[in-house]
Amino acid sequence: MPDSLYSDMLGTTQALKAINMPFNQVLAHQITGMYPTCNRNLMYCKDFAFMNERQWSLLKKTSKPITKAEDAEVQSMGTSQSFHFSLNVSLPSSSQPKRPTSKEKCLYKSSTNMSTLRPDVLLKALGMEWELDSLSFHKSDVLFDLLNSTLDLNTNNSDITPQDQDNVKSIEPTKMDGAQPSNNSIEIDLTEITKPRAVAKKGDITVIDLLIDDPYVTQRAMTTVLSHLYREDVDIDSRDAAGVFATSMALGFKQLKESCKLVMLNSISYKTVCHYYSVASKFDEEDVVKVCEHWLELNLIQDLSKRIQLRDLSNELLENTLNSDRLFVPSEYSVYKTVSSWLFLQLNPQLQVMPSYTVVISYFNSMPKSSSFLDSEYGQVYNFLFSSIRLHGITDSKDIQDIQMMNILPQSSIVELLSQQITALQCGGDMMGLKQFNTAAVRHGFVLCDVSSHSEVLSLYGFHFELKAKRKDYESCTFQFYFKRLKPNDPILGFQSCERNTFSLRSEREVRYCVTVQYDLNGIQFMESSGVLSSKFGLGRTTSKSKILSVDIQTTPVYISYALQLPPS
């Protein structure tokens, strides 16, 4: 057709010449592809803009009508003759192809079904009308039951004349998925479909009106799901997987639901994890929920905390992730940064780009200083999140200064933090009042990616430890993980650390610790842990090193976490 050639002016001219013929119903069907026997592009993996029903009606209005005699003459002459026909075709102003709408996509994909010449079901949903073929409804439990209810309705009302059936004007919408039904509608349960009154017969067309109250069910998702009526190999984009899954559940597409579930399991990232978790929790898909939870445990602080998608994380899910024993923590202050950034996004939902942490500090610093944010009326609901932060593990003076400047935490929490540090320094590192290892241990970690060794320094109340990860040998896949106590003159500390930091010269220091290694292999999560161990660390070569945890690793990245506690001694 000329309107599909766009900037090809020569091709447009030739196409206009080709269709300049007298109006004839048979020829018009052939031109617009309404006959399944006509020649058309069957590469339906791509979207094409075909003439829709509205364009076809406009075509008939702008066409020059002919008499029955002329029509018979055309039929006798065949298609080998040249005919003259006045047709007004408007070309797009831009040379770029117009993006097809959801309805156009569905109409194109449904046109590949050769079972009928025209659709016999009109589905009204999401403010659109979808022309469907009832012979494919066996793939959808909901649509199939609704169609059967129409047959039962026609059987029970056999005394009604066809003229009365054609005059059906008002069709009450069927309520789905939790919204309040109207007085004349029937609520549809996803597990048990009742006979709705939102179905009517208008001539040869069955009209089904659905009202689906689910934010994940969109026109785009509905297009993909309804295309499954005519195609088995429906391509599901990871960006639409949550919506397609919710729509397939609402309409009872069991096979498509499983395919969509597989896509979700293999495409979890910072862009999709919050939506996947939300829709999987709603429909009790435990497999997807567990994978999302594990991804968050490893990447909440490392990845998601730097993305605008952090705002999509629910309060409950964030709290559960922060309290998980498998949470990967680069440093205790990084946990505070993540929670405060999440809070900033909740208070500023209009943002579309993730701001820098400096902006977050300035925002909270600009608030009234009469009381802390958590003591205010709006901040009390977030107390449970900040109680999950191990403030005693934040020892850097710059970090503490930022916390004071932001004024999120109550003043009593700041005083307790400073008091804990002064007490520990004066008592040889003893962490007084912190007995439970799961809540008292200070966490520090790093990610190992395609390197043979890595090390970082953890300073805690006058004691300094080198956290080490290295390959056992060049050809081996075995990695060794351990840490050791550093001397004040150790070269890894650097001059500034030796000059500024406090050092304890105790000959022995009891330390409780746990080393945890986590990684993902072929979609399966693995975790190796040393368990909670206790040992006395000295300054000698043999006494300064912890036990070695050896793990065979076939893939990267690897998340290594060290948790240390200095009990009273």
Side-chain angles (χ1 to χ4, degrees), residues 245-370:
F245 183 84
T247 308
S248 62
M249 290 293 294
L251 298 181
F253 283 82
K254 296 181 179 179
Q255 182 179 357
L256 183 61
K257 183 201 74 171
E258 295 300 325
S259 302
C260 190
K261 180 180 175 181
L262 184 61
V263 172
M264 294 167 65
L265 290 173
N266 295 328
S267 61
I268 294 179
S269 65
Y270 70 90
K271 297 181 180 179
T272 60
V273 62
C274 296
H275 299 303
Y276 285 1
Y277 179 87
S278 178
V279 71
S281 300
K282 182 176 183 178
F283 296 104
D284 297 327
E285 292 294 336
E286 293 297 330
D287 296 344
V288 181
V289 169
K290 290 182 179 179
V291 175
C292 291
E293 289 176 345
H294 183 73
W295 189 95
L296 285 171
E297 289 168 350
L298 295 181
N299 298 280
L300 170 63
I301 302 175
Q302 189 70 15
D303 190 3
L304 187 60
S305 63
K306 305 177 181 64
R307 315 285 186 174
I308 190 63
Q309 287 79 9
L310 179 65
R311 64 183 176 185
D312 299 328
L313 203 62
S314 64
N315 302 19
E316 181 182 1
L317 180 56
L318 178 58
E319 182 184 13
N320 294 338
T321 305
L322 293 176
N323 294 325
S324 174
D325 295 335
R326 301 165 63 104
L327 177 65
F328 172 74
V329 179
S331 66
E332 295 297 345
Y333 184 63
S334 65
V335 182
Y336 175 84
K337 290 176 61 177
T338 299
V339 178
S340 58
S341 298
W342 177 88
L343 178 59
F344 173 80
L345 294 176
Q346 302 305 306
L347 300 177
N348 300 274
Q350 74 281 1
L351 294 179
Q352 300 298 322
V353 179
M354 187 67 182
S356 63
Y357 190 64
T358 305
V359 175
V360 178
I361 296 177
S362 301
Y363 174 80
F364 287 105
N365 187 35
S366 64
M367 289 186 171
K369 304 298 181 181
S370 57

Side-chain angles (χ1 to χ4, degrees), residues 158-430:
S158 57
D159 55 334
I160 300 178
T161 63
Q163 183 179 1
D164 294 335
Q165 282 190 344
D166 293 340
N167 293 331
V168 176
K169 299 297 183 183
S170 60
I171 304 174
E172 296 296 334
T174 301
K175 186 66 179 175
M176 301 186 66
D177 201 9
Q180 295 297 326
S182 62
N183 295 331
N184 298 324
S185 62
I186 296 179
E187 183 175 359
I188 294 183
D189 191 346
L190 296 181
T191 58
E192 181 179 0
I193 307 299
T194 59
K195 185 183 297 184
R197 286 178 291 181
V199 181
K201 195 77 174 178
K202 304 179 72 173
D204 296 333
I205 302 297
T206 302
V207 181
I208 302 176
D209 198 342
L210 297 180
L211 178 59
I212 306 177
D213 185 16
D214 191 332
Y216 286 105
V217 180
T218 61
Q219 293 180 357
R220 185 185 181 97
M222 183 70 76
T223 298
T224 304
V225 171
L226 294 180
S227 299
H228 184 63
L229 292 173
Y230 309 98
R231 292 177 53 195
E232 296 295 336
D233 55 336
V234 176
D235 295 331
I236 303 175
D237 193 284
S238 59
R239 297 171 297 178
D240 305 326
V244 174
F245 183 84
T247 308
S248 62
M249 290 293 294
L251 298 181
F253 283 82
K254 296 181 179 179
Q255 182 179 357
L256 183 61
K257 183 201 74 171
E258 295 300 325
S259 302
C260 190
K261 180 180 175 181
L262 184 61
V263 172
M264 294 167 65
L265 290 173
N266 295 328
S267 61
I268 294 179
S269 65
Y270 70 90
K271 297 181 180 179
T272 60
V273 62
C274 296
H275 299 303
Y276 285 1
Y277 179 87
S278 178
V279 71
S281 300
K282 182 176 183 178
F283 296 104
D284 297 327
E285 292 294 336
E286 293 297 330
D287 296 344
V288 181
V289 169
K290 290 182 179 179
V291 175
C292 291
E293 289 176 345
H294 183 73
W295 189 95
L296 285 171
E297 289 168 350
L298 295 181
N299 298 280
L300 170 63
I301 302 175
Q302 189 70 15
D303 190 3
L304 187 60
S305 63
K306 305 177 181 64
R307 315 285 186 174
I308 190 63
Q309 287 79 9
L310 179 65
R311 64 183 176 185
D312 299 328
L313 203 62
S314 64
N315 302 19
E316 181 182 1
L317 180 56
L318 178 58
E319 182 184 13
N320 294 338
T321 305
L322 293 176
N323 294 325
S324 174
D325 295 335
R326 301 165 63 104
L327 177 65
F328 172 74
V329 179
S331 66
E332 295 297 345
Y333 184 63
S334 65
V335 182
Y336 175 84
K337 290 176 61 177
T338 299
V339 178
S340 58
S341 298
W342 177 88
L343 178 59
F344 173 80
L345 294 176
Q346 302 305 306
L347 300 177
N348 300 274
Q350 74 281 1
L351 294 179
Q352 300 298 322
V353 179
M354 187 67 182
S356 63
Y357 190 64
T358 305
V359 175
V360 178
I361 296 177
S362 301
Y363 174 80
F364 287 105
N365 187 35
S366 64
M367 289 186 171
K369 304 298 181 181
S370 57
S371 64
S372 65
F373 177 80
L374 295 183
D375 287 334
S376 65
E377 180 182 357
Y378 300 101
Q380 292 179 1
V381 294
Y382 301 108
N383 273 303
F384 64 96
L385 290 175
F386 286 89
S387 63
S388 303
I389 304 173
R390 303 180 187 181
L391 294 176
H392 59 273
I394 304 176
T395 58
D396 193 293
S397 59
K398 295 181 181 179
D399 297 339
I400 298 176
Q401 184 179 1
D402 290 340
I403 294 176
Q404 288 180 302
M405 185 184 305
M406 295 172 71
N407 197 33
I408 298 178
L409 299 176
Q411 194 66 24
S412 58
S413 299
I414 304 297
V415 173
E416 183 180 356
L417 168 61
L418 297 175
S419 175
Q420 169 69 31
Q421 292 197 12
I422 294 174
T423 303
L425 288 173
Q426 292 181 348
C427 297
D430 294 347

Side-chain angles (χ1 to χ4, degrees), residues 527-545:
M527 184 178 73
E528 299 287 343
S529 177
S530 64
V532 180
L533 304 175
S534 181
S535 180
K536 291 185 178 181
F537 289 79
L539 296 174
R541 183 175 181 181
T542 58
T543 60
S544 63
K545 194 174 181 180

Side-chain angles (χ1 to χ4, degrees), residues 116 118-122 132-134 147 150-151 154 162-163 165-167 200-208:
T116 60
R118 59 179 181 176
D120 57 353
V121 176
L122 182 65
L132 305 174
D133 177 13
S134 61
L147 185 63
T150 309
L151 300 178
N154 293 336
Q163 183 179 1
Q165 282 190 344
D166 293 340
N167 293 331
K201 195 77 174 178
K202 304 179 72 173
D204 296 333
I205 302 297
T206 302
V207 181
I208 302 176

